[in-house]
Amino acid sequence: MPQVRDLSVVDVPGGCILTSCDISAGFGEKAHDGLVVTPEVTARLTLRVALLEMIASGADVVSVSDVVGAEMEPTGRRIIIGLKEELSKANLNHIELNGSTEENMKVTQTSVGVLVTGFATKAALKLINVHEAAVLFAFGEPIVGEEVLQKMTEMPDYHLVKKLVADSSVLEVVPVGSKGILYEANLLAKLNNRVFKETSSLDEISLNKTAGPASVILAVVKKRDCSIFEKHFSGAQYLGELCGNEEQI
């Protein structure tokens, strides 16, 4: 499995090395930024996406690198502060940052990219892992731009994602980004050679709206364990089923 969604997966002795990445541009305090927000917040939300993708796979984070399209002082330094704050939120304070800033040109628009590297045994990975009747749940709501600034504390957090990954009834966990819930649900089904049968109460706009910095988390749950799952995970929104080709007829 060389690539699964936004993850690159490389087989190595004893398991797999995985990488995830993300970038934000035009969010900051520079002259040509499209949305005024502190560099610290831009950094936090950018790293959040890549970290959640890695953690949701079942892998352990082993390193984080950043590429800052701005000078070290003051923007780069503030971005690094934000990255370290996000690592702390994910209980990854031990991870050392490696990166670079732009010192040769005057930059008038903020950008920051991150690369997260992880490792997992093949048994620990929860990728392309649906081999039985399953249903799909969502946590959170699709938000972007100003909405994110207003609802940052309401987004699904690392504790939830780690709890989902550790639960034996959960087959896969998928953060939703800019392509929306329906796209990720259909891609998830396709990767598992299944079909997503949507029966949720969400409207078409919500299903297709960007979820910005992973403001929605999807969980594939064994159909036989649905009742127990909903008792253990409050806030789970039922989206529908992942059906085998013979089941959709």
Side-chain angles (χ1 to χ4, degrees):
M1 55 175 79
Q3 185 165 352
V4 181
R5 297 190 311 273
D6 294 327
L7 287 166
S8 294
V9 185
V10 180
D11 289 341
V12 295
C16 300
I17 292 174
L18 299 89
T19 58
S20 61
C21 59
D22 195 43
I23 186 171
S24 291
F27 300 88
E29 297 177 338
K30 292 189 175 296
H32 293 117
D33 283 327
L35 180 65
V36 177
V37 61
T38 68
E40 291 89 345
V41 169
T42 298
R44 284 176 53 192
L45 294 176
T46 306
L47 182 53
R48 167 188 165 85
V49 173
L51 282 180
L52 284 175
E53 190 75 47
M54 185 62 66
I55 293 168
S57 74
D60 293 322
V61 176
V62 296
S63 73
V64 173
S65 301
D66 61 87
V67 181
V68 178
E71 74 295 335
M72 175 59 86
E73 292 292 344
T75 307
R77 175 178 53 79
R78 294 178 64 187
I79 284 173
I80 291 169
I81 288 172
L83 294 174
K84 289 182 176 179
E85 289 174 347
E86 196 64 18
L87 285 172
S88 179
K89 283 185 65 177
N91 291 322
L92 294 169
N93 309 67
H94 62 283
I95 298 293
E96 294 290 336
L97 285 172
N98 180 34
S100 182
T101 57
E102 176 55 70
E103 305 300 333
N104 296 307
M105 300 291 290
K106 182 178 180 180
V107 178
T108 60
Q109 187 176 59
T110 306
S111 70
V112 54
V114 296
L115 173 70
V116 175
T117 304
F119 176 82
T121 62
K122 291 183 179 180
L125 279 181
K126 287 195 170 183
L127 297 174
I128 312 181
N129 193 45
V130 184
H131 307 297
E132 61 182 278
V135 299
L136 192 61
F137 289 93
F139 296 85
E141 64 174 313
I143 54 176
V144 68
E146 290 283 359
E147 293 177 301
V148 175
L149 303 181
Q150 296 165 6
K151 299 182 177 181
M152 283 184 64
T153 59
E154 300 174 25
M155 292 192 295
D157 59 16
Y158 296 103
H159 174 73
L160 171 64
V161 174
K162 291 176 182 180
K163 185 179 176 183
L164 287 168
V165 171
D167 194 290
S168 61
S169 69
V170 177
L171 299 170
E172 289 196 41
V173 181
V174 179
V176 179
S178 59
K179 293 178 180 177
I181 293 171
L182 190 58
Y183 174 89
E184 294 293 353
N186 285 325
L187 178 59
L188 175 61
K190 182 179 179 181
L191 289 170
N192 284 282
N193 196 30
R194 305 183 84 81
V195 174
F196 174 54
K197 185 178 180 182
E198 189 262 320
T199 54
S200 77
S201 60
L202 294 178
D203 58 32
E204 185 176 351
I205 293 176
S206 296
L207 286 170
N208 290 286
K209 180 180 177 181
T210 173
S215 66
V216 174
I217 300 294
L218 303 182
V220 184
V221 179
K222 298 173 184 177
K223 190 172 182 178
R224 54 190 164 91
D225 292 338
C226 274
S227 297
I228 296 174
F229 176 82
E230 289 184 279
K231 289 178 182 177
H232 290 170
F233 291 89
S234 61
Q237 306 170 66
Y238 181 85
L239 294 180
E241 296 188 27
L242 294 183
C243 304
N245 290 324
E246 71 284 353
E247 298 174 82
Q248 65 168 324
I249 299 174

